[in-house]
Amino acid sequence: MKIKLVLFLMLIPVLMVRAQKPATITGKITTNDGKAATGITVSVPGTTLGSVTDDKGLYRIKNLASGNQVIQLSAIGIQTQTKTVKIEPGETTNIDFVISETIKELEEVAVSALRAHKYIYKESDQVARIPLKNLENPQVYSVIPKELISSQLSLNSKDVINNAAGVVAYYTPIGTVSAWIRGFDTRNAIRNGMVTQYRAESDPINIERVEVIKGPAGTLFGSSAISFGGLINKITKTPNPIAATEVAVFTGSNSLMRITADVNTPLNASKTSLFRLNAAYHAEDSFQDIGRYKSISAAPSFLYTINDRLTFLVDAEFAAVTRTQQPYPSFGPNTTFKNFRDIPIGYKKYIGGDDVDAKTTISNFFTKATYKLSDQWVSSTNLNFSNGYVDYANQLYPRWLTDSTMTRNIGMYSARTLSFIQFQQNFNGDFKIGKMRNRAVIGADFTSTITRLNYAYFNYDTINVNQNFAPLFAQRANALMAAKTPGHYQNTQTNYSLYASDVINLTDRLLVMASLRLDQFVNKASIENSLPVKDDYQQTALSPKFGLIYQIVDQKVSLFGNYMNGFLNQGPVTQPDGGTLRLKPKQANQWEGGVKTDLLNKHLGFTLSFYDIKVNNATYTDINNFSLQGGTQRSKGFEAELNAEPVDHFYIISGYARNSNKFISGTPSLIGKKVAGAPGEVFNLWMNYQCVSGFLKNFGGGFGGNYVSEVYWDAANTITIPSYTVLNAAISYHQPSWTASVKMNNLSNQKYWNSDAQPQMLRQIIGSLAMKF
């Protein structure tokens, strides 16, 4: 019944198209040397009607009212032209234009404009769910475009996300990607603004850009896949009217073999039906003595333009990943380790086994209907079915008993399912009330999350790490598993949300943002070993957001401030006397201020922000083991981001951040302690230069890396994970139809651990050849 209702709602835009006899204008635009002018915008001023010329210089504008209409040409680098045309009802009128520029001049302008924007372009319609320029948005965010991903030969989401200022991405032991943002751990689980699967990552081949939004963003994005530090939103590639194919092959250290393909093609002459397929195969051994990773993924998408008002986008992601899992270590009271450098086990020594691994498959389906209701309002209807299935997973839980002995424990999981069904409806408006411009979104969101798994936990053996020990073997692990009684767990959670946000131009330079979300969360009683668990509860959260931005220099320098809220639902707690403590949602409130710039003709973008996040309603226990609510955590710091093109073809992407995240009330033993895993200092840099003339013409090079300060492994702040600096470099040679590249990661061969205590890749060499057709 729910699916039928959703399908009916998606058809509403189609039913709203009124019968009429529209007029049409067609034509061709050429340059003064007789070439077709592509990418020229042809519009009707005062309306939203318009078109962009295709590769033959042709355009078509439909649904015109009869009478005299003004047709206008515009594009970067050309003189604006207008013509007044008399339109008859139901007729097609042909109007051609000849522009004064040559095709070479247009290409030079286009290349220059792209060059100035591709690494530092930050305008987004996703960050605030409203199309806003960076200098109009009181929020702080980083954007990582596909051009940067390509220049760095980034092969995974972790390396991509580490380009965001103040952000440290890492692989968890189960192979998912998380990131530390403003002192809080954040999952990489939002795709095009919708909650999606995080068990297997979207391959970089299908990423158009990644937007990292800073601060608690619960008002517009809810609580399903964000943290109080921010969120990570992957924007995927979609079909476009230009037929193009790119195939790339990668090889390198650790038996790396990777093949990717990006195929885009129109399906009809009018280019109203477009198709794109992004696919990748990746196989690689671990740098340790045991371990491997293999994945295959495909992401088809289809875009259908019914008319100038209505478009449908359907896309999907399929992936299968097999990997050797990393361990979750723990330390008993008889260990004396204070730093991970002191642990007496070889950096390249893996304590698991090659066939004690995990396999995950995902299948995600997405649909989006966009309908232009009027010149002021646009409807966007989104439907998401996302399913991750863990066929099997052998997770390692080693526990150090002494400085030389450990027990190797295994958690075995099978038929582990995490699925989402999400329906989201947004209405975006751009209108005036009096003289004040309003850009607003009104939305509703329904999300249902289902979790199922079978599990068992057992001890495999005890080893002395100072002596030779054998790897784990699946045959022995399965035999031990057979002697255990497996458990089963199932849970369903549902969110019902309404939200609204408005950005008001009080003047051309002074803007105010006001936003509010009402969220109803329902947790059904879980099923554990076929028996219901008394953990069902409901919570209602109200999440506000406010922002203020003033352009002290029009379109160049903005001062901003914001108040942002996030929330996290918390289930009931059973007390030692048998009573139940019903909890309020945990709340995070951020105050932030700073400055944004867009200087030197958009070649210099700089953001400096200071923030203070206070988390309330945390739970803690007293000396009698009773749970109490009222613990407080405080995260504060500053971030600086600089993205620039100081000279032609030379780009700098950099960021620096300091953060302090501590408990200030609650459990006495934790007061004043830093949050485990949260880095206090982070720096990122990437510099890229492309030669366009001289002896080194067509050669390019890049250099940069990341610095992360030391963090604590445990909440008591007794064990330290050391700081690290990782440097990388790349060289490439470009031709119109092919590009050859070589990159070296971790130039200094640094030994380092991420915040989950996993040793990281040593020096790695990657070679790539990409061919365009």
Side-chain angles (χ1 to χ4, degrees):
M1 183 66 186
K2 291 181 179 178
I3 295 177
K4 291 181 179 179
L5 176 61
V6 168
L7 294 174
F8 174 74
L9 290 172
M10 293 187 68
L11 288 173
I12 288 177
V14 180
L15 300 175
M16 295 176 67
V17 179
R18 296 172 295 181
Q20 54 182 317
K21 293 183 178 180
T24 301
I25 290 180
T26 62
K28 183 175 183 178
I29 302 176
T30 56
T31 60
N32 70 359
D33 54 352
K35 305 293 185 179
T38 63
I40 306 298
T41 299
V42 187
S43 61
V44 181
T47 75
T48 59
L49 301 178
S51 177
V52 177
T53 56
D54 61 17
D55 55 355
K56 296 180 181 179
L58 301 176
Y59 73 91
R60 175 185 292 269
I61 303 176
K62 300 178 181 179
N63 298 324
L64 286 162
S66 59
N68 292 331
Q69 297 281 7
V70 176
I71 309 302
Q72 177 176 290
L73 261 62
S74 61
I76 297 175
I78 75 166
Q79 295 291 325
T80 300
Q81 293 187 39
T82 60
K83 287 185 180 180
T84 301
V85 183
K86 186 176 181 180
I87 305 297
E88 299 295 335
E91 293 188 359
T92 298
T93 304
N94 189 80
I95 303 294
D96 294 333
F97 289 84
V98 177
I99 61 177
S100 60
E101 291 74 19
T102 66
I103 191 66
K104 182 178 180 180
E105 290 171 337
L106 286 183
E107 290 174 349
E108 290 175 349
V109 169
V111 170
S112 177
L114 176 62
R115 186 180 68 240
H117 289 83
K118 66 180 182 179
Y119 284 102
I120 58 180
Y121 183 80
K122 292 188 70 170
E123 295 178 16
S124 169
D125 58 0
Q126 294 269 351
V127 172
R129 296 200 185 276
I130 299 170
L132 288 177
K133 297 178 181 178
N134 182 39
L135 295 188
E136 297 176 324
N137 195 333
Q139 294 176 253
V140 174
Y141 60 97
S142 298
V143 176
I144 305 158
K146 64 179 183 296
E147 291 83 6
L148 179 58
I149 297 171
S150 176
S151 71
Q152 293 181 338
L153 270 69
S154 296
L155 307 185
N156 56 67
S157 295
K158 173 184 74 70
D159 292 344
V160 172
I161 296 168
N162 274 330
N163 286 289
V167 177
V168 180
Y170 67 97
Y171 275 109
T172 68
I174 64 173
T176 63
V177 172
S178 284
W180 288 99
I181 306 176
R182 296 191 172 181
F184 298 92
D185 198 10
T186 307
R187 291 184 307 187
N188 180 25
I190 295 183
R191 180 187 187 274
N192 299 326
M194 305 280 284
V195 178
T196 189
Q197 191 51 239
Y198 62 90
R199 291 290 178 186
E201 292 295 319
S202 297
D203 193 277
I205 188 61
N206 194 37
I207 294 177
E208 180 72 21
R209 68 182 185 276
V210 174
E211 299 175 345
V212 181
I213 304 173
K214 315 294 181 61
T219 307
L220 293 179
F221 290 90
S223 62
S224 298
I226 69 173
S227 79
F228 295 149
L231 64 92
I232 302 165
N233 185 24
K234 302 181 288 285
I235 310 299
T236 58
K237 295 178 180 178
T238 55
N240 62 67
I242 308 300
T245 297
E246 181 172 331
V247 177
V249 179
F250 301 79
T251 188
S253 306
N254 308 315
S255 303
L256 171 66
M257 175 53 66
R258 175 178 170 85
I259 303 172
T260 64
D262 183 348
V263 181
N264 184 86
T265 182
L267 298 180
N268 57 6
S270 62
K271 299 186 178 181
T272 57
S273 298
L274 308 174
F275 176 78
R276 190 167 189 170
L277 174 65
N278 288 278
Y281 169 82
H282 189 120
E284 184 176 5
D285 291 339
S286 171
F287 74 94
Q288 295 184 303
D289 60 344
I290 291 176
R292 59 194 172 88
Y293 172 89
K294 183 170 73 173
S295 70
I296 184 168
S297 63
S301 55
F302 173 71
L303 180 66
Y304 181 49
T305 301
I306 295 178
N307 53 44
D308 290 342
R309 290 176 177 264
L310 180 61
T311 61
F312 279 100
L313 174 65
V314 180
D315 68 306
E317 278 186 327
F318 306 98
V321 178
T322 304
R323 61 161 62 87
T324 304
Q325 303 285 78
Q326 289 295 319
Y328 281 102
S330 62
F331 299 89
N334 296 322
T335 58
T336 63
F337 305 133
K338 299 301 180 184
N339 192 299
F340 268 77
R341 288 199 186 101
D342 303 329
I343 296 178
I345 191 168
Y347 189 79
K348 291 186 177 182
K349 185 67 175 177
Y350 179 63
I351 65 169
D354 205 24
D355 60 351
V356 183
D357 57 0
K359 181 181 179 182
T360 301
T361 56
I362 66 169
S363 54
N364 300 329
F365 299 90
F366 311 89
T367 61
K368 180 178 181 179
T370 304
Y371 181 67
K372 187 178 297 183
L373 299 169
S374 68
D375 290 345
Q376 288 80 36
W377 288 93
V378 175
S379 166
S380 175
T381 307
N382 302 271
L383 184 61
N384 169 20
F385 295 92
S386 181
N387 183 73
Y389 185 81
V390 179
D391 300 67
Y392 61 89
N394 298 285
Q395 191 61 54
L396 306 181
Y397 298 97
R399 181 169 178 79
W400 289 84
L401 304 176
T402 68
D403 289 356
S404 60
T405 60
M406 73 162 65
T407 59
R408 294 193 290 184
N409 306 304
I410 300 178
M412 300 190 78
Y413 303 90
S414 63
R416 185 171 188 169
T417 301
L418 180 63
S419 60
F420 300 94
I421 300 175
Q422 184 178 14
F423 172 76
Q424 188 180 99
Q425 173 64 52
N426 292 311
F427 295 98
N428 282 91
D430 189 342
F431 56 93
K432 285 189 176 182
I433 298 178
K435 294 184 178 181
M436 293 187 298
R437 182 185 183 188
N438 291 257
R439 279 167 287 181
V441 60
I442 302 171
D445 189 290
F446 165 82
T447 304
S448 178
T449 306
I450 301 173
T451 303
R452 299 186 184 94
L453 70 137
N454 302 316
Y455 60 91
Y457 181 86
F458 57 90
N459 171 250
Y460 185 89
D461 63 6
T462 300
I463 60 172
N464 187 324
V465 298
N466 293 324
Q467 301 174 1
N468 291 329
F469 57 87
L472 301 178
F473 294 101
Q475 184 177 3
R476 171 175 164 77
N478 291 333
L480 291 169
M481 164 67 184
K484 297 290 180 179
T485 301
H488 173 75
Y489 176 81
Q490 180 174 329
N491 176 255
T492 301
Q493 298 177 340
T494 306
N495 283 83
Y496 304 88
S497 303
L498 297 173
Y499 52 87
S501 181
D502 192 9
V503 175
I504 306 170
N505 281 78
L506 299 179
T507 69
D508 288 342
R509 298 188 184 186
L510 179 61
L511 295 86
V512 175
M513 172 186 283
S515 314
L516 186 65
R517 184 187 195 94
L518 178 64
D519 189 276
Q520 175 68 27
F521 176 82
V522 179
N523 185 86
K524 292 185 178 180
S526 303
I527 304 296
E528 191 163 359
N529 298 326
S530 302
L531 298 174
V533 181
K534 293 182 179 180
D535 61 352
D536 56 309
Y537 69 99
Q538 297 185 23
Q539 285 184 343
T540 301
L542 198 64
S543 180
K545 180 176 71 172
F546 302 99
L548 184 68
I549 196 158
Y550 179 67
Q551 296 185 19
I552 58 176
V553 181
D554 189 31
Q555 303 299 318
K556 296 183 184 298
V557 181
S558 290
L559 298 178
F560 70 91
N562 67 60
Y563 163 80
M564 295 175 62
N565 174 269
F567 58 95
L568 180 65
N569 299 106
Q570 302 184 99
V573 176
T574 301
Q575 302 285 33
D577 63 358
T580 300
L581 174 63
R582 295 285 174 177
L583 300 173
K584 298 177 182 178
K586 186 186 293 186
Q587 294 277 350
N589 299 289
Q590 171 186 276
W591 293 96
E592 181 178 20
V595 61
K596 298 181 179 183
T597 72
D598 195 350
L599 304 172
L600 304 180
N601 194 26
K602 299 186 180 297
H603 287 66
L604 174 61
F606 177 72
T607 300
L608 175 65
S609 66
F610 298 84
Y611 62 88
D612 192 320
I613 304 172
K614 191 174 182 181
V615 180
N616 300 315
N617 292 339
T619 59
Y620 63 98
T621 56
D622 63 13
I623 58 174
N624 297 313
N625 242 357
F626 277 79
S627 295
L628 303 174
Q629 185 168 35
T632 307
Q633 181 181 348
R634 188 179 186 187
S635 178
K636 60 181 180 178
F638 73 88
E639 294 170 349
E641 181 182 62
L642 174 68
N643 296 334
E645 185 190 15
V647 297
D648 286 349
H649 314 291
F650 177 53
Y651 310 103
I652 300 174
I653 294 90
S654 62
Y656 175 76
R658 292 181 69 93
N659 171 266
S660 175
N661 191 359
K662 296 181 179 180
F663 297 97
I664 60 177
S665 71
T667 305
S669 62
L670 294 181
I671 294 176
K673 302 294 186 181
K674 293 183 178 179
V675 171
E681 204 172 2
V682 178
F683 175 72
N684 69 280
L685 172 69
W686 183 257
M687 300 180 292
N688 203 81
Y689 181 69
Q690 181 70 41
C691 299
V692 296
S693 62
F695 177 72
L696 295 177
K697 181 180 179 181
N698 298 325
F699 277 94
F703 174 80
N706 298 81
Y707 165 79
V708 179
S709 64
E710 68 177 19
V711 302
Y712 287 110
W713 159 250
D714 57 335
N717 291 184
T718 59
I719 303 177
T720 301
I721 297 176
S723 64
Y724 61 86
T725 300
V726 176
L727 300 176
N728 313 308
I731 299 174
S732 58
Y733 181 76
H734 299 265
Q735 286 292 312
S737 59
W738 59 275
T739 299
S741 306
V742 176
K743 187 185 182 187
M744 182 176 289
N745 291 320
N746 197 355
L747 291 168
S748 64
N749 211 32
Q750 168 119 68
K751 294 181 180 179
Y752 67 106
W753 294 260
N754 68 12
S755 60
D756 260 353
Q758 301 171 35
Q760 299 299 290
M761 180 80 72
L762 293 170
R763 185 183 295 121
Q764 178 192 34
I765 299 176
I766 301 171
S768 169
L769 177 63
M771 295 156 286
K772 298 179 181 179
F773 306 97

